[in-house]
Amino acid sequence: DQQVKQNSPSLSVQEGRISILNCDYTNSMFDYFLWYKKYPAEGPTFLISISSIKDKNEDGRFTVFLNKSAKHLSLHIVPSQPGDSAVYFCAASYYGSGNTGKLIFGQGTTLQVKP
Amino acid sequence: ETGVTQSPTHLIKTRGQQVTLRCSSQSGHNTVSWYQQALGQGPQFIFQYYREEENGRGNFPPRFSGLQFPNYSSELNVNALELDDSALYLCASSLKGMNTEAFFGQGTRLTVV
């Protein structure tokens, strides 16, 4: 049961353009969502998060949008830079009902930003 | 502020052996979670430790066990290794009871042959 899905395994964009990474979830209990970036041979690095009480959170070049009715979130990177090339993971969590805030991850999307 | 560190970074074991992986959590964090990341997949939750006790477990067999120490560092033990246990094992530290980000170590790459 894949509760968090990233349906695009890969994405390629030109430097300076917008990168949009998408994520869908099925569990309506999720109330906190995160994006992580991962380079080869490194652990995931936290990028940005959003609580379910918001529909947008922005941090520099990174913006996360949450559409609760569609159970969909997206990460926008503007402008994209070659150093953004990495695997991006969407994750979700919630506390309560016996759940301890564990992170449920999607499968990841590999972003390539071409110079 | 010290980050999350894991040791060793790489490990090769033989099927049937036992392995112990170690993690030092980020300063100020009281909760440690372990994840397994198979090739091409997202990290899968193994279990979480808080106040030296297991505080949630994913869909992993009992041969996966752990410990948390008073200084919040942690160990992951896997007995009777199987070939499918080959993966990247990630440790993450966080604050219990709060929806905040978890910080990950660099991982331990375990290969079972």
Side-chain angles (χ1 to χ4, degrees):
Chain A
D1 177 23
Q2 189 72 27
Q3 297 185 64
V4 178
K5 294 183 181 180
Q6 295 175 254
N7 292 316
S8 298
S10 63
L11 175 67
S12 182
V13 300
Q14 286 297 131
E15 180 179 6
R17 305 296 290 271
I18 184 172
S19 295
I20 300 176
L21 296 97
N22 294 302
C23 178
D24 297 297
Y25 62 96
T26 57
N27 191 339
S28 58
M29 294 290 290
F30 289 141
D31 61 6
Y32 191 61
F33 303 88
L34 311 90
W35 284 94
Y36 284 85
K37 177 171 72 173
K38 188 179 184 301
Y39 294 117
E42 294 185 12
T45 301
F46 170 75
L47 268 179
I48 192 169
S49 62
I50 187 167
S51 165
S52 60
I53 61 173
K54 296 184 176 181
D55 55 18
K56 176 183 175 182
N57 189 28
E58 191 172 353
D59 184 1
R61 297 187 297 115
F62 302 92
T63 302
V64 56
F65 295 91
L66 175 62
N67 182 334
K68 288 187 291 294
S69 60
K71 293 189 176 68
H72 177 84
L73 64 156
S74 60
L75 174 68
H76 293 208
I77 306 174
V78 183
S80 301
Q81 300 173 353
D84 296 330
S85 298
V87 180
Y88 288 77
F89 290 100
C90 167
S93 73
Y94 69 95
Y95 276 91
S97 300
N99 201 64
T100 58
K102 67 183 180 186
L103 296 176
I104 307 297
F105 283 86
Q107 308 94 308
T109 296
T110 300
L111 173 66
Q112 182 186 27
V113 180
K114 297 179 179 179
Chain B
E1 180 181 279
T2 57
V4 180
T5 59
Q6 293 185 241
S7 62
T9 55
H10 295 84
L11 202 52
I12 299 176
K13 287 287 189 177
T14 303
R15 189 173 49 184
Q17 284 189 314
Q18 178 265 343
V19 69
T20 297
L21 310 181
R22 295 177 174 83
C23 171
S24 295
S25 62
Q26 180 153 315
S27 175
H29 284 181
N30 55 18
T31 300
V32 174
S33 301
W34 286 90
Y35 293 81
Q36 180 195 66
Q37 186 182 10
L39 205 59
Q41 301 294 318
Q44 298 288 316
F45 175 75
I46 302 174
F47 44 54
Q48 183 183 87
Y49 276 82
Y50 172 68
R51 288 187 175 177
E52 303 173 50
E53 290 191 359
E54 188 178 289
N55 183 47
R57 188 178 185 92
N59 188 26
F60 282 82
R63 59 189 185 84
F64 285 77
S65 63
L67 286 171
Q68 185 183 32
F69 300 100
N71 65 354
Y72 304 130
S73 65
S74 177
E75 288 182 354
L76 164 66
N77 300 290
V78 187
N79 293 322
L81 284 167
E82 300 177 0
L83 297 180
D84 285 348
D85 295 333
S86 296
L88 180 68
Y89 289 85
L90 295 162
C91 168
S93 73
S94 59
L95 285 171
K96 178 175 169 56
M98 299 176 61
N99 269 336
T100 62
E101 59 271 25
F103 291 92
F104 285 82
Q106 80 279 21
T108 294
R109 172 69 63 186
L110 173 65
T111 303
V112 182
V113 297

